[in-house]
């Protein structure tokens, strides 16, 4: 990863990590069994290049900042400028999901997009906010691809907000939303895309939800 970052990273990228400071006392409601593991993983990625700045926050001590950035659970990883956080990953980024985060950092630093030009143009025509939640599991390669695509779409339009959720860390959330088949994209809490999620199908649902152009 060091060799790849040394060759590929151009502009600086900031990563915010919302976690919980270790405590010898178990406090009900503040459990986070994967916070320490997530911090170790993210520190390894940030340590691979001086162009990546990692800023760690205690979710409970910095609750006002968490609210400002729209962070609702931990561990939470935010990629990019904290003033307009669009790319969030909740849970430990294990397996293929870490690859999605690394590839997103690379594309952000290089200022490139994996999306087609017509996709990028249509996303810029959105008129209403669109919230996208992508539910994945660590061993799900299709989920990693869905995250990478969704994150790329959020980078093209300030109207699009993306949260990726690793359901192994948040099983109660998955149950409450009826998440079964993975990956699953939930758009504005209404539109559902299950199974492998292509650029075309995700774009179509986002444009519909955001009253943009038809595909």
């Amino acid at each position: 990863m060091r060799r790849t970052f040394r060759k590929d990273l151009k502009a600086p990228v900031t990563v915010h990590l919302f976690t919980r400071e270790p405590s010898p006392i178990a406090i009900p409601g503040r459990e986070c069994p994967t916070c320490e593991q997530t911090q170790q993983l993210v520190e390894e990625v940030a340590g691979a290049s001086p162009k990546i700045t990692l800023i760690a926050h205690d979710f409970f001590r910095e609750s006002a900042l968490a609210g400002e950035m729209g962070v609702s659970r931990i561990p939470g990883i935010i990629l990019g400028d904290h003033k307009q956080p669009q790319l969030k990953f909740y849970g430990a980024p294990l397996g293929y999901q870490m690859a999605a985060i690394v590839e997103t950092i690379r594309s952000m630093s290089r200022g490139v997009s994996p999306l087609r030009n017509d996709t990028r143009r249509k996303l810029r025509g959105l008129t209403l906010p669109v919230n996208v939640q992508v539910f994945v599991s660590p061993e799900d390669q299709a989920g990693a691809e869905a995250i990478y695509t969704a994150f790329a779409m959020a980078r093209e339009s300030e109207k699009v907000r993306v949260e990726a959720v690793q359901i192994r860390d948040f099983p109660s959330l998955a149950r409450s939303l009826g998440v079964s088949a993975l990956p699953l994209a939930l758009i504005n809490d209404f539109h559902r895309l299950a199974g492998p999620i292509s650029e075309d199908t995700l774009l179509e649902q986002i444009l519909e939800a955001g009253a943009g152009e038809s595909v």
Side-chain angles (χ1 to χ4, degrees), residues 132-154:
V132 181
Q133 290 179 291
V134 183
F135 296 91
V136 298
S137 62
E139 62 277 1
D140 182 12
Q141 183 174 0
E145 293 168 356
I147 291 172
Y148 186 51
T149 300
F151 278 172
M153 291 188 178

Side-chain angles (χ1 to χ4, degrees), residues 33-34 73-75 88-94 97 133-140 143-144 147 163-186 192:
T34 60
R73 54 185 64 88
I74 53 176
K88 300 186 180 79
F89 186 98
Y90 290 119
L94 304 173
Q97 312 320 319
Q133 290 179 291
V134 183
F135 296 91
V136 298
S137 62
E139 62 277 1
D140 182 12
I147 291 172
E163 295 183 354
V165 181
Q166 204 269 84
I167 65 165
R168 189 175 294 175
D169 286 359
F170 305 100
S172 60
L173 174 64
R175 286 194 298 270
S176 68
L177 294 174
V179 177
S180 54
L182 295 174
L184 174 72
L186 183 61
R192 288 177 176 246

